[in-house]
Amino acid sequence: MRRMSPDVPLLNDYKQDFFLKRFPQTVLGGPRLKLGYCAPPYIYVNQIILFLMPWVLGGTGTLLYQLGVLEDYYAAALSGGLMLLTAFVIQFTSLYARNKSVTVERILTTDILAEEDEHEFTSCAGAETIRFLIPGKKYIANTVFHCVLAGLLCGLGTWYLLPYRITLLYGSMGGTVLLFVFGWMTLCIGEYSLIVNTATETATFQTQDTYEITPLMRPLYIFFFVSVDLTHRFIVNIPALEQMNQILHILFIFLPFLWALGTLPPPDAFFLWAMEQVLEFGLGGSPMSTHLRLLIMFIISAGTAVTSYFIPSTVGVVLFMTGLGFLLSLNLSEMVFVFKHSMTGHRIGTKSNALLSGSEKQFTWKECLFYFIILVLALLEASLLHHFAGFSQISRNSPQAIVGYILMILLVILWILREIQSVYIFGIIRNPFYPKDVQIVTAFLEKQTSLMKIGVVRRILLTLVSPFALIAFLSLDSSLQGLHSMSISIGFTRAFRMVWQNTESALLETVTVSVVHLLIFGTDSWWARSLDTGIRLLLVGIMRDRLIQFVSKLRFAVTVLLTSWMEKKRRKSTTTLLGFPRPIQSWPGVVGTAACVCTDTVYYYQMVPSLAAALQSAMAAGSLGLLLPGSHFLGRFQDRLIWIIILERGYTYCCINIKGLELQETSCHTAEARRVDEVFESAFQQEEYARGYSLNEHFGNILTPYTVLPVKLYSDARSVLSGIIDSHENLKEFKDDFVKVLVWLLVQYCSKKPSKENVHKTENKERASLIIPPAMNTSSQPQSPEGTDSLNSETFDDWSDNIFDDEETIKKGKEKDQLKVFPDNVTPSPGHILRVYNSVLPWSIALDWLTEKTELFQLALKAFRYTVKLMIDKASLGPIEDFTELINYLHEYETDWYIGLVSDEKWKEAVLQDKPYLFSLGYDLNMGVYTGRVLTLQELLVHIGKLNAEAVRGQWANLSWELLYATNDDEERYSIQAQPLLLRNLTVQAADPPLGYPIYSSKPLHIHLY
């Protein structure tokens, strides 16, 4: 059990000292000027010399330029060449020191943590000193590349910070000196992290820097600032560029603080985030479920925008944008995969595979036919409207304005139809049309029938009506007459793509542009004069997204502040820092490849297919609100918590990732899970007579209830068996029942084998009596059920020869009697039953013989477990009247039940095979009672709510900083302390390993929205 502390610091005392040593190193780019032990002075002197070396080399070139000896570009080349030579010398010195074999004796100390950090230095230029100062690169290619980059950085930095150039920008000598001094400090920090020793960055994306990307972070930002200055040098007479250059020169000296605070992203995170932003807002696409899909889609989408610029025909451009926008919004990869799979199955040629591939092809061709019809209709509409309709600016009577009015009506209708599908309107007011008491599946489905019909209407309007209305609006735009502008190509390529990729967002953006243009019609404004419709839609899309983010961040900040103020023991100063932008997935790994698998993982495996089907209906109906990539949802059922992330969105499909959280009830986990239950109960479990317009009592929580989903899964029921398993009468009947069950199982087993010859019934009876475990044998033998003649003699010969061949056993008469007869006055104890149920048999003479017969042993164990379940059923449901009822019980156990241990592999197989019932016997050490656990497969209601996405990303960013930078490995660390309003512990669990620990994570699942 984890102990929850109400006043847990972000870092403990040891980690605070560690942070105070690491943070100055991060600020300076790598020099370790604060060590946890006493080091010789030359360690610090050497680091200062290496740190200032680029300034000295750059200063040489700067001085020669200021004296008029060299031109500015020659001075930059000289400084760069000297830095290149110095970088190679530094790296080869490090390589020599690493290859030199030197034995260094460690100072004995009792502090293990200090041992990992201390070094013993023998001389100023010793091998240990060089290895400490210059760790070197892992790869030779990086050694050469980083050295060349260091030379280029120093040369361009010298050119960037020439005093004469800075004076021309600002006209102030004081400002020139200030920018020159602190600018070279920034350059020295970038050079040191690149070529000497890389500091641990606060902005960390990857858990391990396998390819040494971190040293490139700071130089790349410096190169960006220099590139703007070079552009300004060679492209003059652009006031905006000059102003940007002036601003960036000032911002340049603050780069070390931005790096230290983790505001600027590392190269890999920035690359993925930038591609997502350009793809979504510049090209009309969507963030993708994998990095490879993102890269491929980015290249294709960018190529589409560029290609449209070179098409000479206006009709051709409209057709090209419409067709490619539709095709790129489809889930083409899944369609290709299904098509390949069906073709592969067809080539195999087997009957089953042929039937399977035929059904798959039938479904795939229906879907393809639907898409083909939509594409043809869209192309016909766009071409006809563009060719025959007259072009005019938007006015109150133009065709485009009329379509705009239609879009306004559609937007309002779709918004209303979407809001009434969920339990709360705006997340605040309870929906009066939503069923009040949601507990029974059949009752809920009956009440939800009308809402599902409304969902079908909404689906038709969103999938079929709205896209064609948007196509009409865009095709009638007058901006498409002039196609010689790249901005028009980019804007309209994005607009025609958004129509299909995210219809709801495109509808909102188009209506906004139409309303604004009608309001300012006739005025000479910048919006109407300088921007075409495509760029207006692009700007509105960016503002829409940033507004949604701002509202989410504001709610998150208010929740944090209220939490800090309401809880007295948490009333401390709250520090909020801006983290670096991350891609939608937040984590660098491939989705669904990492999870902390345990015995409970199988339950999530079983429920995911049914949950995906339920999500498909809910998403298509609009029950989960606006579906945007990066949205997070939380599902709750009994002790299960399901985390759902939307990764990708397109036309009639959505890609999601489902995670399952741990089922163990730690104190922090239970506190937040209890709050989740309270939030859902207040929303879904209301009395029928309750007033219709109630408010959301938990509006301040980051979780907002949306709907419930009927999902086929296992309900978990645990019962105490006191009075059943310890009853003397039940235990006495247990012995007789065991013999009957065992004989029935033997008959069933042997009847499934081919019988070569029949044997006498009396012989079969004698041999059957000998295989009963000694502890459970009785003097009375039951009558064998029908079908005994089918017993296979070879099976019994194999199972009984050894016991008669053992001469020592035969000689021991007492032991022989024990094999045959167990005294009637001895009954098994509850502890004995539990041990045998768990496959721990008491020792006897026949035990070794029995365990050698694997099949016989498993049958005996199975019979024992069936008898335990039979004893519980008889105690609960009443005694068995006749032999036929007993057979019915056993048949039901055989077909509908799995009776065994939770830890068995067959238990997991039974769960995955959707076995209707599972039973396990156990013992509760805390309560000191025997327990029974029954899993029942049935359709039950799972509560689904939407999480504040910015709150999730903010807590994940804090987790990344706390574990990867501050290396806080405390079991009571801040990030796992319970916070019911923020659900901090659950959010940390849902993070990808190794920082989080979900027990299940699915691969990207494609949900069809039709």
Side-chain angles (χ1 to χ4, degrees), residues 83-104:
M83 188 65 220
L84 175 63
L85 179 62
T86 304
F88 273 114
V89 171
I90 291 173
Q91 287 300 310
F92 281 118
T93 302
S94 173
L95 185 62
Y96 171 77
R98 280 185 291 163
N99 293 333
K100 185 178 180 181
S101 177
V102 178
T103 304
V104 179

Side-chain angles (χ1 to χ4, degrees), residues 137-147 210-213:
K137 309 296 180 182
K138 291 188 292 185
Y139 307 106
I140 297 298
N142 281 341
T143 300
V144 177
F145 176 63
H146 291 180
C147 289
T210 306
Y211 301 105
E212 296 179 316
I213 298 176

Side-chain angles (χ1 to χ4, degrees), residues 532-580:
D532 58 79
T533 303
I535 298 301
R536 293 172 198 155
L537 290 171
L538 189 150
L539 294 176
V540 171
I542 295 175
M543 289 187 288
R544 170 192 57 81
D545 179 77
R546 294 305 181 260
L547 180 61
I548 293 175
Q549 285 192 25
F550 174 76
V551 173
S552 298
K553 286 183 171 68
L554 184 62
R555 285 191 59 186
F556 176 42
V558 170
T559 302
V560 172
L561 292 176
L562 288 177
T563 302
S564 302
W565 176 253
M566 291 169 60
E567 300 184 23
K568 295 181 179 180
K569 294 184 178 181
R570 296 184 187 269
R571 286 186 187 176
K572 293 187 174 183
S573 57
T574 302
T575 303
T576 303
L577 299 176
L578 294 177
F580 65 90

